[in-house]
PDB file of all heavy atoms in Angstrom:
ATOM      1  N   LEU A   1     -42.776  23.132  -1.677  1.00 95.00           N
ATOM      2  CA  LEU A   1     -43.729  24.212  -1.925  1.00 95.00           C
ATOM      3  C   LEU A   1     -44.474  23.988  -3.238  1.00 95.00           C
ATOM      4  O   LEU A   1     -45.705  24.135  -3.312  1.00 95.00           O
ATOM      5  CB  LEU A   1     -42.975  25.545  -1.962  1.00 95.00           C
ATOM      6  CG  LEU A   1     -43.787  26.805  -2.230  1.00 95.00           C
ATOM      7  CD1 LEU A   1     -44.836  27.008  -1.155  1.00 95.00           C
ATOM      8  CD2 LEU A   1     -42.864  28.025  -2.297  1.00 95.00           C
ATOM      9  N   SER A   2     -43.741  23.593  -4.273  1.00 94.00           N
ATOM     10  CA  SER A   2     -44.359  23.362  -5.582  1.00 94.00           C
ATOM     11  C   SER A   2     -45.308  22.177  -5.542  1.00 94.00           C
ATOM     12  O   SER A   2     -46.384  22.208  -6.162  1.00 94.00           O
ATOM     13  CB  SER A   2     -43.272  23.124  -6.627  1.00 94.00           C
ATOM     14  OG  SER A   2     -42.388  24.217  -6.714  1.00 94.00           O
ATOM     15  N   ARG A   3     -44.935  21.141  -4.801  1.00 92.00           N
ATOM     16  CA  ARG A   3     -45.779  19.952  -4.729  1.00 92.00           C
ATOM     17  C   ARG A   3     -47.122  20.269  -4.070  1.00 92.00           C
ATOM     18  O   ARG A   3     -48.175  19.824  -4.521  1.00 92.00           O
ATOM     19  CB  ARG A   3     -45.049  18.858  -3.951  1.00 92.00           C
ATOM     20  CG  ARG A   3     -45.720  17.492  -4.048  1.00 92.00           C
ATOM     21  CD  ARG A   3     -46.115  16.985  -2.674  1.00 92.00           C
ATOM     22  NE  ARG A   3     -46.723  15.666  -2.771  1.00 92.00           N
ATOM     23  CZ  ARG A   3     -48.017  15.466  -2.976  1.00 92.00           C
ATOM     24  NH1 ARG A   3     -48.826  16.503  -3.129  1.00 92.00           N
ATOM     25  NH2 ARG A   3     -48.520  14.257  -3.050  1.00 92.00           N
ATOM     26  N   LEU A   4     -47.089  21.048  -2.998  1.00 91.00           N
ATOM     27  CA  LEU A   4     -48.327  21.412  -2.307  1.00 91.00           C
ATOM     28  C   LEU A   4     -49.190  22.331  -3.172  1.00 91.00           C
ATOM     29  O   LEU A   4     -50.416  22.193  -3.207  1.00 91.00           O
ATOM     30  CB  LEU A   4     -47.998  22.088  -0.974  1.00 91.00           C
ATOM     31  CG  LEU A   4     -47.375  21.171   0.083  1.00 91.00           C
ATOM     32  CD1 LEU A   4     -46.851  21.980   1.257  1.00 91.00           C
ATOM     33  CD2 LEU A   4     -48.384  20.135   0.563  1.00 91.00           C
ATOM     34  N   ALA A   5     -48.548  23.255  -3.879  1.00 91.00           N
ATOM     35  CA  ALA A   5     -49.304  24.149  -4.758  1.00 91.00           C
ATOM     36  C   ALA A   5     -49.955  23.365  -5.893  1.00 91.00           C
ATOM     37  O   ALA A   5     -51.111  23.608  -6.257  1.00 91.00           O
ATOM     38  CB  ALA A   5     -48.379  25.231  -5.316  1.00 91.00           C
ATOM     39  N   ARG A   6     -49.235  22.391  -6.448  1.00 88.00           N
ATOM     40  CA  ARG A   6     -49.801  21.572  -7.528  1.00 88.00           C
ATOM     41  C   ARG A   6     -50.980  20.748  -7.032  1.00 88.00           C
ATOM     42  O   ARG A   6     -51.996  20.632  -7.729  1.00 88.00           O
ATOM     43  CB  ARG A   6     -48.718  20.645  -8.090  1.00 88.00           C
ATOM     44  CG  ARG A   6     -49.190  19.809  -9.288  1.00 88.00           C
ATOM     45  CD  ARG A   6     -48.133  18.811  -9.709  1.00 88.00           C
ATOM     46  NE  ARG A   6     -47.936  17.775  -8.702  1.00 88.00           N
ATOM     47  CZ  ARG A   6     -46.900  16.930  -8.705  1.00 88.00           C
ATOM     48  NH1 ARG A   6     -45.982  17.028  -9.651  1.00 88.00           N
ATOM     49  NH2 ARG A   6     -46.782  16.024  -7.763  1.00 88.00           N
ATOM     50  N   PHE A   7     -50.858  20.211  -5.829  1.00 83.00           N
ATOM     51  CA  PHE A   7     -51.956  19.415  -5.282  1.00 83.00           C
ATOM     52  C   PHE A   7     -53.206  20.267  -5.122  1.00 83.00           C
ATOM     53  O   PHE A   7     -54.311  19.853  -5.482  1.00 83.00           O
ATOM     54  CB  PHE A   7     -51.550  18.805  -3.946  1.00 83.00           C
ATOM     55  CG  PHE A   7     -52.648  18.011  -3.293  1.00 83.00           C
ATOM     56  CD1 PHE A   7     -52.924  16.719  -3.706  1.00 83.00           C
ATOM     57  CD2 PHE A   7     -53.422  18.561  -2.280  1.00 83.00           C
ATOM     58  CE1 PHE A   7     -53.942  15.979  -3.121  1.00 83.00           C
ATOM     59  CE2 PHE A   7     -54.443  17.837  -1.686  1.00 83.00           C
ATOM     60  CZ  PHE A   7     -54.706  16.540  -2.109  1.00 83.00           C
ATOM     61  N   ASN A   8     -53.048  21.471  -4.582  1.00 81.00           N
ATOM     62  CA  ASN A   8     -54.208  22.343  -4.395  1.00 81.00           C
ATOM     63  C   ASN A   8     -54.843  22.728  -5.729  1.00 81.00           C
ATOM     64  O   ASN A   8     -56.059  22.891  -5.817  1.00 81.00           O
ATOM     65  CB  ASN A   8     -53.800  23.605  -3.625  1.00 81.00           C
ATOM     66  CG  ASN A   8     -53.546  23.327  -2.153  1.00 81.00           C
ATOM     67  OD1 ASN A   8     -53.837  22.252  -1.654  1.00 81.00           O
ATOM     68  ND2 ASN A   8     -52.988  24.296  -1.464  1.00 81.00           N
ATOM     69  N   ALA A   9     -54.010  22.886  -6.749  1.00 83.00           N
ATOM     70  CA  ALA A   9     -54.530  23.323  -8.041  1.00 83.00           C
ATOM     71  C   ALA A   9     -55.190  22.187  -8.822  1.00 83.00           C
ATOM     72  O   ALA A   9     -56.058  22.432  -9.669  1.00 83.00           O
ATOM     73  CB  ALA A   9     -53.400  23.921  -8.872  1.00 83.00           C
ATOM     74  N   THR A  10     -54.801  20.934  -8.548  1.00 80.00           N
ATOM     75  CA  THR A  10     -55.285  19.815  -9.355  1.00 80.00           C
ATOM     76  C   THR A  10     -56.166  18.840  -8.584  1.00 80.00           C
ATOM     77  O   THR A  10     -56.677  17.893  -9.187  1.00 80.00           O
ATOM     78  CB  THR A  10     -54.090  19.026  -9.941  1.00 80.00           C
ATOM     79  OG1 THR A  10     -53.300  18.487  -8.865  1.00 80.00           O
ATOM     80  CG2 THR A  10     -53.233  19.927 -10.801  1.00 80.00           C
ATOM     81  N   VAL A  11     -56.344  19.059  -7.272  1.00 70.00           N
ATOM     82  CA  VAL A  11     -57.079  18.074  -6.477  1.00 70.00           C
ATOM     83  C   VAL A  11     -58.504  17.863  -6.985  1.00 70.00           C
ATOM     84  O   VAL A  11     -59.045  16.751  -6.923  1.00 70.00           O
ATOM     85  CB  VAL A  11     -57.090  18.494  -4.981  1.00 70.00           C
ATOM     86  CG1 VAL A  11     -57.859  19.796  -4.793  1.00 70.00           C
ATOM     87  CG2 VAL A  11     -57.680  17.396  -4.114  1.00 70.00           C
ATOM     88  N   ALA A  12     -59.101  18.922  -7.535  1.00 66.00           N
ATOM     89  CA  ALA A  12     -60.484  18.799  -8.024  1.00 66.00           C
ATOM     90  C   ALA A  12     -60.578  17.907  -9.252  1.00 66.00           C
ATOM     91  O   ALA A  12     -61.644  17.337  -9.527  1.00 66.00           O
ATOM     92  CB  ALA A  12     -61.045  20.179  -8.338  1.00 66.00           C
ATOM     93  N   SER A  13     -59.488  17.759  -9.991  1.00 71.00           N
ATOM     94  CA  SER A  13     -59.523  16.963 -11.220  1.00 71.00           C
ATOM     95  C   SER A  13     -58.992  15.543 -11.033  1.00 71.00           C
ATOM     96  O   SER A  13     -59.050  14.738 -11.962  1.00 71.00           O
ATOM     97  CB  SER A  13     -58.704  17.663 -12.312  1.00 71.00           C
ATOM     98  OG  SER A  13     -57.342  17.807 -11.901  1.00 71.00           O
ATOM     99  N   LEU A  14     -58.472  15.231  -9.844  1.00 66.00           N
ATOM    100  CA  LEU A  14     -57.939  13.895  -9.603  1.00 66.00           C
ATOM    101  C   LEU A  14     -59.082  12.912  -9.365  1.00 66.00           C
ATOM    102  O   LEU A  14     -60.122  13.272  -8.809  1.00 66.00           O
ATOM    103  CB  LEU A  14     -57.003  13.909  -8.389  1.00 66.00           C
ATOM    104  CG  LEU A  14     -55.697  14.688  -8.542  1.00 66.00           C
ATOM    105  CD1 LEU A  14     -54.921  14.700  -7.230  1.00 66.00           C
ATOM    106  CD2 LEU A  14     -54.838  14.087  -9.651  1.00 66.00           C
ATOM    107  N   PRO A  15     -58.922  11.639  -9.773  1.00 65.00           N
ATOM    108  CA  PRO A  15     -59.986  10.648  -9.567  1.00 65.00           C
ATOM    109  C   PRO A  15     -60.200  10.363  -8.084  1.00 65.00           C
ATOM    110  O   PRO A  15     -59.251  10.337  -7.299  1.00 65.00           O
ATOM    111  CB  PRO A  15     -59.453   9.403 -10.301  1.00 65.00           C
ATOM    112  CG  PRO A  15     -57.974   9.596 -10.389  1.00 65.00           C
ATOM    113  CD  PRO A  15     -57.763  11.073 -10.492  1.00 65.00           C
ATOM    114  N   THR A  16     -61.462  10.170  -7.716  1.00 65.00           N
ATOM    115  CA  THR A  16     -61.821   9.931  -6.317  1.00 65.00           C
ATOM    116  C   THR A  16     -62.642   8.652  -6.192  1.00 65.00           C
ATOM    117  O   THR A  16     -63.188   8.152  -7.178  1.00 65.00           O
ATOM    118  CB  THR A  16     -62.621  11.109  -5.750  1.00 65.00           C
ATOM    119  OG1 THR A  16     -63.812  11.297  -6.537  1.00 65.00           O
ATOM    120  CG2 THR A  16     -61.805  12.390  -5.780  1.00 65.00           C
ATOM    121  N   ASP A  17     -62.755   8.142  -4.955  1.00 64.00           N
ATOM    122  CA  ASP A  17     -63.589   6.972  -4.708  1.00 64.00           C
ATOM    123  C   ASP A  17     -65.015   7.410  -4.401  1.00 64.00           C
ATOM    124  O   ASP A  17     -65.364   8.594  -4.543  1.00 64.00           O
ATOM    125  CB  ASP A  17     -63.003   6.116  -3.574  1.00 64.00           C
ATOM    126  CG  ASP A  17     -62.858   6.905  -2.277  1.00 64.00           C
ATOM    127  OD1 ASP A  17     -63.496   7.977  -2.138  1.00 64.00           O
ATOM    128  OD2 ASP A  17     -62.110   6.457  -1.385  1.00 64.00           O
ATOM    129  N   GLN A  18     -65.857   6.469  -3.968  1.00 62.00           N
ATOM    130  CA  GLN A  18     -67.262   6.794  -3.716  1.00 62.00           C
ATOM    131  C   GLN A  18     -67.451   7.752  -2.553  1.00 62.00           C
ATOM    132  O   GLN A  18     -68.504   8.400  -2.415  1.00 62.00           O
ATOM    133  CB  GLN A  18     -68.073   5.512  -3.449  1.00 62.00           C
ATOM    134  CG  GLN A  18     -67.654   4.759  -2.194  1.00 62.00           C
ATOM    135  CD  GLN A  18     -66.539   3.765  -2.456  1.00 62.00           C
ATOM    136  OE1 GLN A  18     -65.863   3.849  -3.486  1.00 62.00           O
ATOM    137  NE2 GLN A  18     -66.372   2.809  -1.550  1.00 62.00           N
ATOM    138  N   ASN A  19     -66.427   7.874  -1.695  1.00 60.00           N
ATOM    139  CA  ASN A  19     -66.500   8.805  -0.562  1.00 60.00           C
ATOM    140  C   ASN A  19     -65.918  10.176  -0.882  1.00 60.00           C
ATOM    141  O   ASN A  19     -65.828  11.032  -0.004  1.00 60.00           O
ATOM    142  CB  ASN A  19     -65.770   8.206   0.646  1.00 60.00           C
ATOM    143  CG  ASN A  19     -66.408   6.920   1.129  1.00 60.00           C
ATOM    144  OD1 ASN A  19     -67.633   6.810   1.137  1.00 60.00           O
ATOM    145  ND2 ASN A  19     -65.579   5.960   1.530  1.00 60.00           N
ATOM    146  N   GLY A  20     -65.514  10.383  -2.125  1.00 59.00           N
ATOM    147  CA  GLY A  20     -64.937  11.658  -2.516  1.00 59.00           C
ATOM    148  C   GLY A  20     -63.480  11.809  -2.140  1.00 59.00           C
ATOM    149  O   GLY A  20     -62.931  12.904  -2.185  1.00 59.00           O
ATOM    150  N   LYS A  21     -62.828  10.709  -1.799  1.00 66.00           N
ATOM    151  CA  LYS A  21     -61.431  10.731  -1.384  1.00 66.00           C
ATOM    152  C   LYS A  21     -60.529  10.484  -2.579  1.00 66.00           C
ATOM    153  O   LYS A  21     -60.774   9.586  -3.392  1.00 66.00           O
ATOM    154  CB  LYS A  21     -61.215   9.655  -0.311  1.00 66.00           C
ATOM    155  CG  LYS A  21     -59.843   9.651   0.308  1.00 66.00           C
ATOM    156  CD  LYS A  21     -59.773   8.558   1.378  1.00 66.00           C
ATOM    157  CE  LYS A  21     -58.406   8.451   1.981  1.00 66.00           C
ATOM    158  NZ  LYS A  21     -58.326   7.363   2.992  1.00 66.00           N
ATOM    159  N   VAL A  22     -59.467  11.291  -2.706  1.00 68.00           N
ATOM    160  CA  VAL A  22     -58.530  11.134  -3.817  1.00 68.00           C
ATOM    161  C   VAL A  22     -57.879   9.756  -3.748  1.00 68.00           C
ATOM    162  O   VAL A  22     -57.468   9.297  -2.679  1.00 68.00           O
ATOM    163  CB  VAL A  22     -57.458  12.246  -3.775  1.00 68.00           C
ATOM    164  CG1 VAL A  22     -56.406  12.021  -4.855  1.00 68.00           C
ATOM    165  CG2 VAL A  22     -58.102  13.612  -3.949  1.00 68.00           C
ATOM    166  N   LYS A  23     -57.786   9.083  -4.912  1.00 71.00           N
ATOM    167  CA  LYS A  23     -57.306   7.703  -4.932  1.00 71.00           C
ATOM    168  C   LYS A  23     -55.794   7.591  -4.791  1.00 71.00           C
ATOM    169  O   LYS A  23     -55.290   6.603  -4.243  1.00 71.00           O
ATOM    170  CB  LYS A  23     -57.744   7.019  -6.229  1.00 71.00           C
ATOM    171  CG  LYS A  23     -59.244   6.765  -6.333  1.00 71.00           C
ATOM    172  CD  LYS A  23     -59.570   6.015  -7.602  1.00 71.00           C
ATOM    173  CE  LYS A  23     -61.058   5.690  -7.688  1.00 71.00           C
ATOM    174  NZ  LYS A  23     -61.400   4.945  -8.916  1.00 71.00           N
ATOM    175  N   TYR A  24     -55.050   8.555  -5.298  1.00 73.00           N
ATOM    176  CA  TYR A  24     -53.590   8.433  -5.258  1.00 73.00           C
ATOM    177  C   TYR A  24     -52.930   9.805  -5.162  1.00 73.00           C
ATOM    178  O   TYR A  24     -53.543  10.838  -5.444  1.00 73.00           O
ATOM    179  CB  TYR A  24     -53.067   7.692  -6.496  1.00 73.00           C
ATOM    180  CG  TYR A  24     -53.435   8.343  -7.814  1.00 73.00           C
ATOM    181  CD1 TYR A  24     -52.736   9.443  -8.314  1.00 73.00           C
ATOM    182  CD2 TYR A  24     -54.495   7.850  -8.579  1.00 73.00           C
ATOM    183  CE1 TYR A  24     -53.067  10.027  -9.514  1.00 73.00           C
ATOM    184  CE2 TYR A  24     -54.840   8.428  -9.783  1.00 73.00           C
ATOM    185  CZ  TYR A  24     -54.111   9.511 -10.251  1.00 73.00           C
ATOM    186  OH  TYR A  24     -54.458  10.098 -11.440  1.00 73.00           O
ATOM    187  N   PHE A  25     -51.672   9.782  -4.737  1.00 76.00           N
ATOM    188  CA  PHE A  25     -50.845  10.985  -4.708  1.00 76.00           C
ATOM    189  C   PHE A  25     -50.006  11.022  -5.983  1.00 76.00           C
ATOM    190  O   PHE A  25     -49.511   9.992  -6.451  1.00 76.00           O
ATOM    191  CB  PHE A  25     -49.892  10.969  -3.511  1.00 76.00           C
ATOM    192  CG  PHE A  25     -50.559  11.066  -2.175  1.00 76.00           C
ATOM    193  CD1 PHE A  25     -50.628   9.971  -1.332  1.00 76.00           C
ATOM    194  CD2 PHE A  25     -51.098  12.263  -1.737  1.00 76.00           C
ATOM    195  CE1 PHE A  25     -51.224  10.063  -0.086  1.00 76.00           C
ATOM    196  CE2 PHE A  25     -51.707  12.369  -0.499  1.00 76.00           C
ATOM    197  CZ  PHE A  25     -51.769  11.262   0.325  1.00 76.00           C
ATOM    198  N   GLU A  26     -49.832  12.207  -6.534  1.00 82.00           N
ATOM    199  CA  GLU A  26     -48.860  12.398  -7.604  1.00 82.00           C
ATOM    200  C   GLU A  26     -47.554  12.830  -6.960  1.00 82.00           C
ATOM    201  O   GLU A  26     -47.427  13.942  -6.441  1.00 82.00           O
ATOM    202  CB  GLU A  26     -49.335  13.457  -8.594  1.00 82.00           C
ATOM    203  CG  GLU A  26     -50.468  12.995  -9.487  1.00 82.00           C
ATOM    204  CD  GLU A  26     -50.803  14.024 -10.552  1.00 82.00           C
ATOM    205  OE1 GLU A  26     -50.411  15.191 -10.388  1.00 82.00           O
ATOM    206  OE2 GLU A  26     -51.463  13.656 -11.538  1.00 82.00           O
ATOM    207  N   GLY A  27     -46.555  11.954  -6.993  1.00 86.00           N
ATOM    208  CA  GLY A  27     -45.327  12.209  -6.264  1.00 86.00           C
ATOM    209  C   GLY A  27     -45.480  11.806  -4.805  1.00 86.00           C
ATOM    210  O   GLY A  27     -46.587  11.585  -4.317  1.00 86.00           O
ATOM    211  N   THR A  28     -44.372  11.708  -4.110  1.00 91.00           N
ATOM    212  CA  THR A  28     -44.436  11.310  -2.703  1.00 91.00           C
ATOM    213  C   THR A  28     -45.066  12.422  -1.872  1.00 91.00           C
ATOM    214  O   THR A  28     -44.800  13.603  -2.098  1.00 91.00           O
ATOM    215  CB  THR A  28     -43.026  11.015  -2.163  1.00 91.00           C
ATOM    216  OG1 THR A  28     -42.169  12.136  -2.412  1.00 91.00           O
ATOM    217  CG2 THR A  28     -42.442   9.783  -2.814  1.00 91.00           C
ATOM    218  N   PRO A  29     -45.912  12.069  -0.907  1.00 90.00           N
ATOM    219  CA  PRO A  29     -46.498  13.093  -0.023  1.00 90.00           C
ATOM    220  C   PRO A  29     -45.395  13.772   0.787  1.00 90.00           C
ATOM    221  O   PRO A  29     -44.400  13.137   1.162  1.00 90.00           O
ATOM    222  CB  PRO A  29     -47.436  12.288   0.874  1.00 90.00           C
ATOM    223  CG  PRO A  29     -47.630  10.979   0.186  1.00 90.00           C
ATOM    224  CD  PRO A  29     -46.395  10.719  -0.594  1.00 90.00           C
ATOM    225  N   ILE A  30     -45.575  15.035   1.068  1.00 92.00           N
ATOM    226  CA  ILE A  30     -44.535  15.782   1.769  1.00 92.00           C
ATOM    227  C   ILE A  30     -44.276  15.275   3.188  1.00 92.00           C
ATOM    228  O   ILE A  30     -43.146  15.392   3.672  1.00 92.00           O
ATOM    229  CB  ILE A  30     -44.861  17.297   1.750  1.00 92.00           C
ATOM    230  CG1 ILE A  30     -43.633  18.118   2.164  1.00 92.00           C
ATOM    231  CG2 ILE A  30     -46.051  17.619   2.630  1.00 92.00           C
ATOM    232  CD1 ILE A  30     -43.782  19.604   1.936  1.00 92.00           C
ATOM    233  N   PRO A  31     -45.245  14.646   3.892  1.00 92.00           N
ATOM    234  CA  PRO A  31     -44.887  14.113   5.220  1.00 92.00           C
ATOM    235  C   PRO A  31     -43.864  12.987   5.191  1.00 92.00           C
ATOM    236  O   PRO A  31     -43.328  12.621   6.247  1.00 92.00           O
ATOM    237  CB  PRO A  31     -46.239  13.619   5.765  1.00 92.00           C
ATOM    238  CG  PRO A  31     -47.264  14.446   5.061  1.00 92.00           C
ATOM    239  CD  PRO A  31     -46.705  14.611   3.685  1.00 92.00           C
ATOM    240  N   THR A  32     -43.558  12.427   3.998  1.00 93.00           N
ATOM    241  CA  THR A  32     -42.534  11.385   3.924  1.00 93.00           C
ATOM    242  C   THR A  32     -41.151  11.920   4.261  1.00 93.00           C
ATOM    243  O   THR A  32     -40.218  11.135   4.447  1.00 93.00           O
ATOM    244  CB  THR A  32     -42.498  10.749   2.520  1.00 93.00           C
ATOM    245  OG1 THR A  32     -42.291  11.771   1.534  1.00 93.00           O
ATOM    246  CG2 THR A  32     -43.796  10.022   2.222  1.00 93.00           C
ATOM    247  N   THR A  33     -41.018  13.237   4.374  1.00 95.00           N
ATOM    248  CA  THR A  33     -39.730  13.800   4.797  1.00 95.00           C
ATOM    249  C   THR A  33     -39.411  13.423   6.241  1.00 95.00           C
ATOM    250  O   THR A  33     -38.308  13.682   6.712  1.00 95.00           O
ATOM    251  CB  THR A  33     -39.729  15.328   4.654  1.00 95.00           C
ATOM    252  OG1 THR A  33     -40.815  15.892   5.399  1.00 95.00           O
ATOM    253  CG2 THR A  33     -39.890  15.726   3.190  1.00 95.00           C
ATOM    254  N   LEU A  34     -40.369  12.792   6.924  1.00 96.00           N
ATOM    255  CA  LEU A  34     -40.094  12.244   8.251  1.00 96.00           C
ATOM    256  C   LEU A  34     -38.935  11.256   8.185  1.00 96.00           C
ATOM    257  O   LEU A  34     -38.178  11.119   9.154  1.00 96.00           O
ATOM    258  CB  LEU A  34     -41.352  11.558   8.791  1.00 96.00           C
ATOM    259  CG  LEU A  34     -41.214  10.801  10.120  1.00 96.00           C
ATOM    260  CD1 LEU A  34     -40.902  11.771  11.250  1.00 96.00           C
ATOM    261  CD2 LEU A  34     -42.493  10.030  10.429  1.00 96.00           C
ATOM    262  N   VAL A  35     -38.760  10.570   7.062  1.00 96.00           N
ATOM    263  CA  VAL A  35     -37.658   9.623   6.903  1.00 96.00           C
ATOM    264  C   VAL A  35     -36.316  10.350   7.029  1.00 96.00           C
ATOM    265  O   VAL A  35     -35.379   9.865   7.687  1.00 96.00           O
ATOM    266  CB  VAL A  35     -37.758   8.893   5.550  1.00 96.00           C
ATOM    267  CG1 VAL A  35     -36.550   7.987   5.333  1.00 96.00           C
ATOM    268  CG2 VAL A  35     -39.056   8.092   5.477  1.00 96.00           C
ATOM    269  N   ILE A  36     -36.206  11.517   6.409  1.00 97.00           N
ATOM    270  CA  ILE A  36     -34.975  12.298   6.502  1.00 97.00           C
ATOM    271  C   ILE A  36     -34.701  12.688   7.943  1.00 97.00           C
ATOM    272  O   ILE A  36     -33.569  12.589   8.439  1.00 97.00           O
ATOM    273  CB  ILE A  36     -35.070  13.550   5.615  1.00 97.00           C
ATOM    274  CG1 ILE A  36     -35.124  13.160   4.143  1.00 97.00           C
ATOM    275  CG2 ILE A  36     -33.909  14.496   5.871  1.00 97.00           C
ATOM    276  CD1 ILE A  36     -35.282  14.330   3.197  1.00 97.00           C
ATOM    277  N   VAL A  37     -35.733  13.144   8.638  1.00 97.00           N
ATOM    278  CA  VAL A  37     -35.570  13.550  10.036  1.00 97.00           C
ATOM    279  C   VAL A  37     -35.135  12.360  10.882  1.00 97.00           C
ATOM    280  O   VAL A  37     -34.295  12.495  11.789  1.00 97.00           O
ATOM    281  CB  VAL A  37     -36.879  14.159  10.571  1.00 97.00           C
ATOM    282  CG1 VAL A  37     -36.766  14.490  12.050  1.00 97.00           C
ATOM    283  CG2 VAL A  37     -37.238  15.413   9.771  1.00 97.00           C
ATOM    284  N   ALA A  38     -35.668  11.176  10.586  1.00 97.00           N
ATOM    285  CA  ALA A  38     -35.274   9.972  11.330  1.00 97.00           C
ATOM    286  C   ALA A  38     -33.793   9.657  11.109  1.00 97.00           C
ATOM    287  O   ALA A  38     -33.091   9.256  12.048  1.00 97.00           O
ATOM    288  CB  ALA A  38     -36.140   8.790  10.901  1.00 97.00           C
ATOM    289  N   VAL A  39     -33.311   9.839   9.884  1.00 96.00           N
ATOM    290  CA  VAL A  39     -31.892   9.608   9.599  1.00 96.00           C
ATOM    291  C   VAL A  39     -31.023  10.590  10.387  1.00 96.00           C
ATOM    292  O   VAL A  39     -29.998  10.205  10.979  1.00 96.00           O
ATOM    293  CB  VAL A  39     -31.622   9.742   8.084  1.00 96.00           C
ATOM    294  CG1 VAL A  39     -30.121   9.716   7.797  1.00 96.00           C
ATOM    295  CG2 VAL A  39     -32.324   8.630   7.318  1.00 96.00           C
ATOM    296  N   LEU A  40     -31.412  11.853  10.417  1.00 95.00           N
ATOM    297  CA  LEU A  40     -30.653  12.853  11.179  1.00 95.00           C
ATOM    298  C   LEU A  40     -30.661  12.530  12.668  1.00 95.00           C
ATOM    299  O   LEU A  40     -29.616  12.629  13.337  1.00 95.00           O
ATOM    300  CB  LEU A  40     -31.242  14.244  10.935  1.00 95.00           C
ATOM    301  CG  LEU A  40     -31.195  14.785   9.503  1.00 95.00           C
ATOM    302  CD1 LEU A  40     -31.854  16.168   9.450  1.00 95.00           C
ATOM    303  CD2 LEU A  40     -29.773  14.858   8.984  1.00 95.00           C
ATOM    304  N   ALA A  41     -31.827  12.165  13.188  1.00 95.00           N
ATOM    305  CA  ALA A  41     -31.922  11.845  14.618  1.00 95.00           C
ATOM    306  C   ALA A  41     -31.044  10.647  14.962  1.00 95.00           C
ATOM    307  O   ALA A  41     -30.362  10.629  15.999  1.00 95.00           O
ATOM    308  CB  ALA A  41     -33.380  11.578  14.997  1.00 95.00           C
ATOM    309  N   TYR A  42     -31.037   9.645  14.090  1.00 94.00           N
ATOM    310  CA  TYR A  42     -30.176   8.473  14.296  1.00 94.00           C
ATOM    311  C   TYR A  42     -28.710   8.890  14.328  1.00 94.00           C
ATOM    312  O   TYR A  42     -27.939   8.444  15.185  1.00 94.00           O
ATOM    313  CB  TYR A  42     -30.428   7.463  13.183  1.00 94.00           C
ATOM    314  CG  TYR A  42     -29.507   6.261  13.208  1.00 94.00           C
ATOM    315  CD1 TYR A  42     -29.838   5.129  13.946  1.00 94.00           C
ATOM    316  CD2 TYR A  42     -28.310   6.265  12.482  1.00 94.00           C
ATOM    317  CE1 TYR A  42     -29.000   4.026  13.969  1.00 94.00           C
ATOM    318  CE2 TYR A  42     -27.464   5.172  12.503  1.00 94.00           C
ATOM    319  CZ  TYR A  42     -27.798   4.054  13.246  1.00 94.00           C
ATOM    320  OH  TYR A  42     -26.956   2.973  13.267  1.00 94.00           O
ATOM    321  N   GLY A  43     -28.344   9.741  13.389  1.00 92.00           N
ATOM    322  CA  GLY A  43     -26.954  10.189  13.325  1.00 92.00           C
ATOM    323  C   GLY A  43     -26.521  10.970  14.557  1.00 92.00           C
ATOM    324  O   GLY A  43     -25.418  10.776  15.077  1.00 92.00           O
ATOM    325  N   VAL A  44     -27.380  11.850  15.033  1.00 90.00           N
ATOM    326  CA  VAL A  44     -27.040  12.626  16.229  1.00 90.00           C
ATOM    327  C   VAL A  44     -26.968  11.722  17.458  1.00 90.00           C
ATOM    328  O   VAL A  44     -26.061  11.840  18.290  1.00 90.00           O
ATOM    329  CB  VAL A  44     -28.072  13.759  16.446  1.00 90.00           C
ATOM    330  CG1 VAL A  44     -27.818  14.473  17.777  1.00 90.00           C
ATOM    331  CG2 VAL A  44     -28.016  14.757  15.299  1.00 90.00           C
ATOM    332  N   TYR A  45     -27.898  10.786  17.566  1.00 90.00           N
ATOM    333  CA  TYR A  45     -27.951   9.901  18.732  1.00 90.00           C
ATOM    334  C   TYR A  45     -26.692   9.032  18.823  1.00 90.00           C
ATOM    335  O   TYR A  45     -26.175   8.791  19.925  1.00 90.00           O
ATOM    336  CB  TYR A  45     -29.185   9.008  18.651  1.00 90.00           C
ATOM    337  CG  TYR A  45     -29.388   8.124  19.854  1.00 90.00           C
ATOM    338  CD1 TYR A  45     -29.947   8.625  21.028  1.00 90.00           C
ATOM    339  CD2 TYR A  45     -29.011   6.771  19.824  1.00 90.00           C
ATOM    340  CE1 TYR A  45     -30.126   7.817  22.137  1.00 90.00           C
ATOM    341  CE2 TYR A  45     -29.183   5.955  20.922  1.00 90.00           C
ATOM    342  CZ  TYR A  45     -29.742   6.482  22.081  1.00 90.00           C
ATOM    343  OH  TYR A  45     -29.906   5.676  23.175  1.00 90.00           O
TER     344      TYR A  45
END
């Protein structure tokens, strides 16, 4: 929750490329929690 709130509050100040796309993430993106779900699924299987 804190990571997403920080991103929304600071995205305007982060450096961007010529297309207006943010160049990097501060901290791991929250979708990386897919790795945890994969570990659980492996364990259950």
Side-chain angles (χ1 to χ4, degrees):
L1 179 61
S2 301
R3 191 240 181 272
L4 291 169
R6 184 186 68 193
F7 178 79
N8 287 350
T10 62
V11 65
S13 60
L14 293 176
T16 59
D17 58 18
Q18 64 272 17
N19 297 321
K21 186 179 177 182
V22 175
K23 291 183 177 180
Y24 58 80
F25 293 108
E26 287 186 342
T28 54
I30 194 170
T32 56
T33 56
L34 174 65
V35 175
I36 293 177
V37 176
V39 171
L40 297 179
Y42 175 89
V44 173
Y45 184 80

